[in-house]
Amino acid sequence: MKPKVLIYKKSFPQEVIDKVLAPHFDVFVLGIGTPEFKEHLKDTVGIIGWGGRIDRQFLEQAPKLKAFSTISVGYDHCDLAAMNELGIRLMHTPDVLTEAVADSALALMLATTRRVVELDRHIRQGQWVKSVSPEWYGQNMYKKTLGIVGMGRIGKAIARRAHFGFDMNILYHSRTAHHDAEQETHAQFIGLDELLQSSDFVCCVLPKTPQTLHYFKQEHFEMMKSTAIFINVGRGQVVKENDLAHALVHKTIYAAGLDVFEVEPLPLDSPLLSLDNVVLFPHASSATVETRFAMDEDAAQNLVNILTKPNTIKNCVNPNLC
Ligand code: 8YV
């Protein structure tokens, strides 16, 4: 019998299981809340999946667990302190989704500034009865200023698209300066207030951490231009969503394009749902056929590496345990 690995993603590709995992492990694909999953937790050495709350209570049900491999770059659903204490290595997939998420940020920028979804709705409702008049005009994206908050891999990929594709002026705010982005896209490192006041698009790519919780609130939306557009492809809890909805209702800012929300799936009583100047995406920035396959494959390979090769640090969130 080989060591046991659990996967709690129903659509996980069988070919990845066969090729990457099966030579080393007995693999079980099960729903995370099911009694069978709970039973298998008792002797599993590795888990692959995304979502749920991977907290101390969950981890303590898996006394043999050596590694958890999340199918994501973000790991805010995992209790890292508990994992460190229990000696469980946490693996993630930071590289393979960068370009797909950057594409989504640009999609949300274009959709909001050119009002693509709103005008599509008008056509379907039979409101296109004469040539387009100024009430339906959008705003240019070409040569505008983009402020990126959180300049990691994804922020840099967004900057590249905006600079080379749309000749945009790039500003960024981050914990540290990124000279590579400054050289490549002429991005300028500035303070948050100045970024908010000067940008036509403000793009949030921040992860959720204790420091970024409700990072964007009313005072920040009030600093932005009334023509500015707010994009979020980071994490929903980084934004005080009620303050954002208030800013959109009162046209403090022009529009928002959101892939992530404080509560997901977005509750049906969210004020965002009744606003025309918001484009909503269901936490789907990495959701392309190619990227999701690459993430699944990466998560599987990460688990094999950490459990079979000593000193694996690539894609390990807590290399102190390797
Ligand atoms: C999700 C994401 O993980 O990688 C992240 O951090 O937010 C997304 O790519 C994905 O939806 C789940 O597989």
Side-chain angles (χ1 to χ4, degrees):
M1 232 170 56
K2 295 177 202 150
K4 183 185 288 182
V5 158
L6 293 180
I7 300 176
Y8 64 93
K9 177 179 178 179
K10 258 202 180 147
S11 60
F12 200 88
Q14 187 61 41
E15 64 179 287
V16 175
I17 296 177
D18 294 344
K19 209 172 80 194
V20 183
L21 294 164
H24 307 276
F25 308 111
D26 285 337
V27 182
F28 296 82
V29 183
L30 294 162
I32 192 170
T34 60
E36 300 101 287
F37 185 88
K38 233 175 154 179
E39 193 50 38
H40 282 293
L41 269 182
K42 291 179 187 156
D43 58 355
T44 192
V45 297
I47 301 177
I48 300 175
W50 184 77
R53 292 248 49 89
I54 311 304
D55 54 15
R56 182 180 293 275
Q57 200 198 345
F58 174 90
L59 296 166
E60 281 174 351
Q61 295 174 65
K64 303 250 159 58
L65 189 65
K66 293 195 171 66
F68 184 94
S69 184
T70 180
I71 313 171
S72 62
V73 58
Y75 47 86
D76 45 285
H77 55 301
C78 302
D79 183 340
L80 187 57
M83 287 183 168
N84 280 334
E85 224 177 275
L86 298 166
I88 298 164
R89 274 79 55 89
L90 174 60
M91 309 300 284
H92 70 150
T93 64
D95 297 315
V96 289
L97 49 75
T98 303
E99 305 302 334
V101 177
D103 283 351
S104 301
L106 272 284
L108 290 170
M109 288 164 68
L110 280 168
T112 44
T113 201
R114 300 302 304 271
R115 302 170 60 178
V116 175
V117 180
E118 183 193 350
L119 297 188
D120 171 285
R121 272 195 299 263
H122 288 335
I123 296 174
R124 291 170 198 270
Q125 290 160 1
Q127 291 173 36
W128 186 23
V129 289
K130 57 181 174 61
S131 64
V132 171
S133 54
E135 310 88 78
W136 285 13
Y137 290 177
Q139 302 180 147
N140 280 354
M141 183 144 118
Y142 179 66
K143 272 195 186 297
K144 292 285 179 75
T145 295
L146 166 63
I148 299 173
V149 182
M151 197 57 144
R153 297 175 188 80
I154 297 170
K156 288 172 193 170
I158 294 169
R160 246 175 257 129
R161 284 160 174 73
H163 172 74
F164 294 111
F166 295 87
D167 212 0
M168 294 178 86
N169 174 36
I170 314 291
L171 308 176
Y172 76 98
H173 184 70
S174 199
R175 276 179 305 182
T176 52
H178 290 267
H179 301 297
D180 51 345
E182 290 173 17
Q183 264 190 353
E184 193 184 6
T185 61
H186 305 154
Q188 207 189 321
F189 185 30
I190 58 168
L192 181 66
D193 292 3
E194 203 184 338
L195 178 146
L196 296 173
Q197 286 154 4
S198 316
S199 297
D200 300 302
F201 295 84
V202 173
C203 185
C204 166
V205 201
L206 292 173
K208 183 189 160 200
T209 67
Q211 293 73 38
T212 62
L213 193 70
H214 286 171
Y215 185 94
F216 286 101
K217 40 189 166 297
Q218 187 171 346
E219 64 193 79
H220 300 109
F221 299 119
E222 281 169 2
M223 264 183 243
M224 289 167 61
K225 298 179 186 181
S226 59
T227 50
I229 291 175
F230 182 76
I231 303 291
N232 191 3
V233 291
R235 278 291 182 265
Q237 295 88 353
V238 168
V239 178
K240 231 175 163 183
E241 209 164 84
N242 275 335
D243 288 4
L244 174 60
H246 185 270
L248 291 163
V249 168
H250 293 89
K251 306 276 159 65
T252 312
I253 62 171
Y254 184 77
L258 307 172
D259 178 47
V260 285
F261 304 89
E262 274 195 83
V263 178
E264 295 176 2
L266 186 64
L268 292 178
D269 61 354
S270 165
L272 295 172
L273 288 168
S274 56
L275 298 175
D276 268 339
N277 54 347
V278 187
V279 173
L280 306 166
F281 210 39
H283 198 145
S285 276
S286 65
T288 65
V289 174
E290 302 90 331
T291 299
R292 284 292 167 89
F293 183 85
M295 289 167 75
D296 292 339
E297 205 173 28
D298 208 33
Q301 194 59 57
N302 285 339
L303 193 75
V304 170
N305 291 348
I306 196 75
L307 293 178
T308 63
K309 297 180 193 155
N311 305 322
T312 295
I313 50 166
K314 185 174 177 264
N315 295 343
C316 183
V317 176
N318 45 3
N320 49 307
L321 294 180
C322 298

